[in-house]
Amino acid sequence: MKKGWLIISALFLLAMGVLTGCGSSTSGSNGKEKVVIGYFPNIDHVPAMVAREKALYEKALGDQYEVEYKTFPDGGAFMTALKTGDIQGGLVGPGPAMNNYVSGADVKVVAGASSGGTVIIASKESGITSVEGLDGATFITPGVGCTHDVQMETFLQDYGLSSARIGGSMKHVTGNPAQYAGMFESESVDAAAVPEPWASLLSIEHGANILVDSNEISFGTTLPNTIFVTSGKLIDENKDLVQKLVDAHQESVDFISENPEESKDIAINSIKELTNQELSKGVIDSAWERIRFTHEVDAEVVQEFANSSFELKFLKEKPDFKDFIDSQFVN
């Protein structure tokens, strides 16, 4: 009997060890729970860059958690990581978040990050100097149905222009904004709907023509260009953790407002680290003028943007975003 209990005890301890091992992939070093924050190497994602540089998430979460950061080339990749649990939250454009929400993805907006900053620009090589000149052109955006894509295609409707995707004359391709300069020079694309700082870089250093500035494009400076999102599951299971993440994010946004020059330096160094491109102070200064960093989210504008996404056939169903934004965490 004693021997039997010893065997059962050994098997129980072995099973516990196996279970512990199965859970180790979601844990950080020293047994801490890991929290991964996602963002893009764009200037409208500076709140994440500042938070990383100043260790704001680490300070907010304390010793219980290990914080990691992961960057993404586009909103589709970011949303895939959020859905699979590879990241717990972070900064993304409203377009990809809304597209996934309508498709049934578990995503919630808990704060804003920035607004404005999207520019329609044409390469010097294309010779295009007006919106009308985009007829028949090839344009590029970071992704199909991304925030900048929707803004551009909404704006072009007033000129009778649209992409071939919905029967128009313009060819649409996608790609990383950091590569647009080379694509302009090789004449593989004619124009772009591009976020800062890449619009200023293309204009100042490559002679590209700004056709529509950020305060003129559809939804202009009122549309949240970058939002902080997480999952509804994380809100339900650990509301305190989400609150601390939003608190750290708000502290970062406040830091940017109070320390713009230091924040610009952080952006320059961070973007260089992530893209191997060192942006000049002039480019950053120009880009900064087009962006407003804020933790607020205008729900009415988000709904208008979503309606336009539906009309442009990026969304299959007319959207209702009354439960998309969870404003309880913003102080």
Side-chain angles (χ1 to χ4, degrees), residues 274-286:
L274 297 170
T275 68
N276 293 318
Q277 287 185 269
E278 184 169 5
L279 301 175
S280 69
K281 182 65 163 50
V283 166
I284 293 296
D285 286 340
S286 172

Side-chain angles (χ1 to χ4, degrees), residues 25-29 32-36 65-68 88:
S25 62
T26 59
S27 299
S29 59
K32 295 182 179 180
E33 189 172 347
K34 185 187 296 183
V35 174
V36 185
Y65 294 93
E66 176 182 338
V67 180
E68 289 189 6
Q88 280 63 57

Side-chain angles (χ1 to χ4, degrees), residues 54-73:
K54 299 296 181 179
L56 298 182
Y57 290 117
E58 290 84 346
K59 293 173 184 176
L61 296 179
D63 294 336
Q64 180 182 352
Y65 294 93
E66 176 182 338
V67 180
E68 289 189 6
Y69 299 86
K70 187 172 184 179
T71 58
F72 295 88

Side-chain angles (χ1 to χ4, degrees), residues 48-221:
M49 301 176 195
V50 168
R52 181 176 186 175
E53 176 69 20
K54 299 296 181 179
L56 298 182
Y57 290 117
E58 290 84 346
K59 293 173 184 176
L61 296 179
D63 294 336
Q64 180 182 352
Y65 294 93
E66 176 182 338
V67 180
E68 289 189 6
Y69 299 86
K70 187 172 184 179
T71 58
F72 295 88
D74 56 65
F78 177 100
M79 289 306 306
T80 297
L82 182 68
K83 288 184 289 187
T84 58
D86 289 340
I87 61 174
Q88 280 63 57
L91 304 187
V92 69
M98 288 190 291
N99 292 344
N100 277 266
Y101 178 82
V102 170
S103 299
D106 178 21
V107 53
K108 295 285 187 179
V109 180
V110 291
S114 68
S115 61
T118 297
V119 172
I120 300 178
I121 197 165
S123 70
K124 177 177 63 176
E125 291 77 10
S126 72
I128 298 172
T129 58
S130 68
V131 174
E132 291 82 357
L134 292 171
D135 189 10
T138 297
F139 75 99
I140 188 168
T141 68
V144 175
C146 73
T147 307
H148 320 291
D149 188 3
V150 174
Q151 285 185 273
M152 179 174 182
E153 295 202 43
T154 300
F155 181 86
L156 292 178
Q157 286 183 314
D158 288 340
Y159 290 81
L161 297 174
S162 61
S163 69
R165 178 184 56 81
I166 53 175
S169 65
M170 300 176 62
K171 181 182 178 181
H172 180 213
V173 297
T174 62
N176 189 330
Q179 309 301 321
Y180 289 3
M183 299 177 79
F184 272 16
E185 291 176 358
S186 68
E187 301 186 44
S188 55
V189 296
D190 303 308
V194 61
E196 289 289 10
W198 311 114
S200 290
L201 174 72
L202 292 167
S203 174
I204 294 173
E205 298 187 1
H206 298 275
N209 300 312
I210 292 178
L211 306 181
V212 184
D213 216 326
S214 59
N215 62 341
E216 301 169 326
I217 197 170
S218 296
F219 311 107
T221 58

